[in-house]
Amino acid sequence: MTQSNVPWWQTATGYQIYPRSFCDSNGDGIGDLRGIVSKLDHLQDLGIGFVWLSPVYASPMRDNGYDIADYFEIAPEFGTMADFDTLLSEAQKRDVRIVMDLVVNHCSSDHCWFVKACQSVDCPEHDFFYWRQPQPDGSPPDDQRACFGGSAWQWVEAVGKYCYCHFGPQQPDLNWHNPALRREIYTMMNWWLDKGIGGFRIDVIELLGKDLDGRIYYEAPDMHRFIQELNQKCLAGRDVVTVGETWSATPDTALEYCGRDRRELDMVFNFNHVQASWDPKLGRFGPNQFDLSTHKMILNDWQQALVEDGWNSLYLSNHDLPRPVSHYANDEEHRVRSAKMLAMVHYLMKGTPFIFQGEEIGMTNARFTSLDQFRDIETLGQLTERLGPVGSNRRDEESVQKFLDGANRHGRDNARTPMQWTGGFLAGFSESASWIDINENYKEINVEADRASPDGVFAFYQQIISLRKTQPIITQGSFELIAPDHAAIFAYAREWEDQRLVVLANFSGVDVAPDLPALNVAGLTPLLATDRPNRAGAPQILEAYEGYAWLIE
Ligand code: ISL
Ligand code: CA
């Protein structure tokens, strides 16, 4: 295959915008659609092909828009539908498509469906949700916990039953087994697609069609049937991209979602490499630091699994995860080099990269010093579960410090601090106090400063994004891990026609002499380097977090 007959989303690079924290146009401290429009040139300069827009629909924002109250309206703090249409057309002018976030596993308890469902058990909307009788002693039907703390079963007095809420108490799950509900969702999706959006990122797709009585929450037997129906009713025949978020997918099951005969999705976001540094007991990031060998093995498994069919999504972070330089490498002395090296290693693999806002300038974790700086429903839920409510005697200095350390390492607010545009007032994000604190390092780390440097992170991302469009070996070549057991080096080769691309990176903070046979080559063409781009020959020593890639033709 040449570059011209592959789908546009295979050579394009995606960019995730978390609207609340991207750019505030009207000085209320909250990023908005007009703010995004004002920064489209930044995205065009970067070279991206599409934006994944985190939810901008009407919402009470208990989970920052992942709790939708009206799928056909824009949240007033983000603007109006006219602003959205402006965003769409201004983006189109710059060859940038807008991919919407589709959150249909659950909605907000403020959605009229849920309001009606609580008012009458006879209305059609009642069955859009999952209701169960209490146990004889009044307790919930089972002991399932909600992601954001407490029981997953919320008592609804007006109905006299429990309602299932997988995430937060005000995010009731939608009953995908109800055909009328599915029809409503398809109508809504088609309405957005008819506007000319570029596709959907689908939130927690693995939870659709869950079997509550069998206690099968993820990838329940009906899930694929529903995704196929969704495809047939909304996607078939349209030139759009879809990517489903699924923490459950593995290399063994990936093709069930994105194999070409399945007619389901184009890609999934998998979290195998993210979960590798999770603590299995906690079910979230634990004290265990990132392990390079595991990381390489997991990414290799995904590359191999989708070598002939299906397609990988490639990402380093998103609005739920820590900042990559802080999590995987070094966010101090070697920050710039780390940012480049991570992008080089991950985005020269086979797949479509998704860059999370701020990553292109190497933004770092938040490092909050006080509990009241946190905003995320998940972090606040964990805080209450572990240290009790405000005023609890469990909130002693030591416990609070331990909580702060953990949240600063793995909490979702790390990625949600405002975009750092300039070193000036409020980092150029807003004209008044932002909804969440700005990272104190904005004077040093900001778009203006980074873009002013030819050696900056932004310039490096531009190179990668451009190479992905011009070098078919990056989008089409085979993948072979080199020295899988090396504790500090991440190296791989790609092959396509007569070309060979080698990527070599040092994931450690000290110099490393890789000493690999693959490096004894002559006649190489340097392709990309975090430092010293003109070095002759394959590097015999890599400095801390250094990366180097070359072509042999
Ligand atoms: O973020 C997580 C771990 O820190 C996950 O448990 C997260 O809740 C999961 O990835 C699902 O994420 C998606 O759905 C959530 C929403 O809060 C996330 O922001 C979204 O990406 C509920 O809609
Ligand atoms: Ca605003």
Side-chain angles (χ1 to χ4, degrees):
M1 272 199 181
T2 65
Q3 294 288 85
S4 54
N5 57 8
V6 303
W8 61 269
W9 44 265
Q10 295 191 347
T11 50
T13 295
Y15 184 96
Q16 184 192 351
I17 291 185
Y18 197 66
R20 212 174 179 75
S21 299
F22 193 62
C23 181
D24 173 21
S25 72
N26 62 350
D28 65 355
I30 300 173
D32 46 55
L33 292 172
R34 284 169 182 243
I36 299 174
V37 172
S38 75
K39 298 295 185 187
L40 282 174
D41 290 341
H42 172 75
L43 303 183
Q44 187 182 23
D45 292 349
L46 188 56
I48 60 137
F50 64 100
V51 164
W52 152 22
L53 188 63
S54 273
V56 292
Y57 314 87
S59 161
M61 300 286 167
R62 293 171 187 122
D63 189 14
N64 289 355
Y66 285 88
D67 49 330
I68 297 171
D70 189 337
Y71 291 92
F72 296 94
E73 291 287 346
I74 299 293
E77 56 261 72
F78 290 154
T80 62
M81 194 58 79
D83 295 332
F84 180 84
D85 293 339
T86 305
L87 170 64
L88 205 56
S89 59
E90 287 299 315
Q92 261 156 15
K93 281 185 200 159
R94 293 165 176 85
D95 268 337
V96 171
R97 300 177 211 229
I98 303 290
V99 170
M100 298 293 278
D101 211 317
L102 184 71
V103 189
V104 288
N105 168 69
H106 47 273
C107 62
S108 163
S109 52
D110 290 11
H111 195 292
C112 65
W113 292 338
F114 191 72
V115 174
K116 287 184 194 161
C118 293
Q119 281 165 355
S120 148
V121 295
D122 301 316
C123 69
E125 290 82 2
H126 185 74
D127 190 48
F128 284 11
F129 300 91
Y130 295 106
W131 304 98
R132 293 290 182 277
Q133 296 285 357
Q135 297 203 41
D137 67 354
S139 61
D142 59 46
D143 62 358
Q144 181 66 16
R145 308 293 293 169
C147 280
F148 302 149
S151 169
W153 293 101
Q154 291 301 314
W155 176 251
V156 179
E157 187 61 43
V159 178
K161 284 184 183 169
Y162 281 97
C163 178
Y164 187 76
C165 300
H166 192 90
F167 289 95
Q170 288 152 317
Q171 290 164 290
D173 282 50
L174 290 166
N175 174 12
W176 270 70
H177 287 100
N178 180 306
L181 179 267
R182 298 205 302 280
R183 276 197 299 275
E184 293 276 354
I185 290 173
Y186 303 149
T187 303
M188 178 271 291
M189 289 175 68
N190 280 315
W191 186 84
W192 283 100
L193 289 164
D194 290 344
K195 259 183 179 295
I197 64 165
F200 289 110
R201 173 265 185 190
I202 311 180
D203 199 54
V204 285
I205 191 118
E206 65 203 314
L207 284 166
L208 304 189
K210 59 187 78 66
D211 166 6
L212 287 179
D213 299 322
R215 302 200 68 174
I216 307 172
Y217 304 97
Y218 301 97
E219 297 185 317
D222 288 322
M223 180 194 69
H224 285 296
R225 175 164 74 86
F226 293 147
I227 304 177
Q228 280 164 9
E229 186 186 73
L230 173 155
N231 179 308
Q232 194 201 331
K233 301 281 185 202
C234 308
L235 308 171
R238 298 195 195 247
D239 185 20
V240 295
V241 67
T242 50
V243 43
E245 183 203 24
T246 158
W247 288 69
S248 314
T250 65
D252 292 334
T253 62
L255 285 173
E256 292 171 17
Y257 295 86
C258 65
R260 69 177 81 81
D261 295 341
R262 300 284 298 177
R263 294 176 208 276
E264 295 193 15
L265 304 170
D266 296 318
M267 291 176 256
V268 293
F269 283 128
N270 89 81
F271 292 79
N272 297 174
H273 59 298
V274 173
Q275 280 161 308
S277 38
W278 271 28
D279 182 319
K281 281 209 300 288
L282 290 172
R284 63 180 85 93
F285 292 111
N288 301 340
Q289 265 306 315
F290 160 73
D291 171 62
L292 181 64
S293 304
T294 315
H295 188 68
K296 288 193 284 190
M297 187 185 75
I298 293 170
L299 293 176
N300 180 51
D301 287 349
W302 277 87
Q303 289 288 303
Q304 304 310 341
L306 304 186
V307 72
E308 296 292 342
D309 190 9
W311 191 254
N312 269 295
S313 70
L314 308 171
Y315 71 90
L316 285 160
S317 73
N318 62 35
H319 63 293
D320 294 332
L321 300 174
R323 289 285 181 180
V325 283
S326 306
H327 183 63
Y328 294 113
N330 178 286
D331 64 4
E332 292 174 340
E333 183 191 355
H334 300 297
R335 181 186 64 85
V336 169
R337 200 191 263 173
S338 294
K340 295 181 188 177
M341 182 278 282
L342 290 171
M344 168 190 264
V345 167
H346 293 86
Y347 301 153
L348 293 184
M349 290 190 200
K350 185 169 180 172
T352 296
F354 288 76
I355 298 165
F356 179 67
Q357 66 182 43
E359 191 191 309
E360 78 278 26
I361 56 162
M363 277 177 62
T364 67
N365 275 354
R367 298 226 174 82
F368 287 155
T369 52
S370 146
L371 292 179
D372 58 21
Q373 290 178 287
F374 291 94
R375 296 286 177 272
D376 175 27
I377 183 172
E378 182 183 67
T379 304
L380 299 178
Q382 286 166 357
L383 175 64
T384 314
E385 277 208 337
R386 268 184 269 164
L387 303 187
V390 183
S392 153
N393 59 9
R394 274 148 67 202
R395 292 199 181 198
D396 57 279
E397 207 177 310
E398 195 188 327
S399 313
V400 167
Q401 193 52 51
K402 205 171 146 208
F403 187 86
L404 282 172
D405 291 345
N408 277 330
R409 203 168 48 238
H410 60 69
R412 309 199 300 182
D413 280 335
N414 279 313
R416 300 180 181 184
T417 62
M419 189 65 189
Q420 294 162 207
W421 294 104
T422 71
F425 186 64
L426 296 173
F429 164 72
S430 172
E431 279 159 17
S432 68
S434 48
W435 69 277
I436 187 170
D437 283 344
I438 293 169
N439 192 314
E440 281 174 4
N441 61 22
Y442 72 93
K443 291 209 168 73
E444 183 207 340
I445 305 171
N446 61 70
V447 170
E448 194 175 55
D450 189 86
R451 288 192 60 168
S453 161
D455 298 325
V457 181
F458 184 88
F460 193 83
Y461 268 72
Q462 277 179 319
Q463 284 185 65
I464 294 187
I465 293 168
S466 150
L467 284 170
R468 292 192 65 261
K469 293 178 199 165
T470 53
Q471 296 279 355
I473 190 169
I474 301 174
T475 42
Q476 304 303 322
S478 64
F479 180 93
E480 183 202 346
L481 204 55
I482 298 173
D485 300 326
H486 201 299
I489 295 289
F490 196 148
Y492 60 85
R494 308 283 314 273
E495 274 180 20
W496 190 74
E497 297 189 338
D498 297 333
Q499 282 185 325
R500 186 173 161 87
L501 161 67
V502 181
V503 177
L504 177 68
N506 179 2
F507 264 71
S508 81
V510 295
D511 289 3
V512 172
D515 192 22
L516 304 172
L519 306 187
N520 300 327
V521 284
L524 59 84
T525 315
L527 188 73
L528 202 57
T530 58
D531 313 74
R532 296 178 286 167
N534 300 319
R535 171 157 59 186
Q540 300 308 310
I541 290 184
L542 284 176
E543 292 180 9
Y545 303 106
E546 189 178 3
Y548 195 76
W550 65 88
L551 272 178
I552 305 158
E553 322 210 32

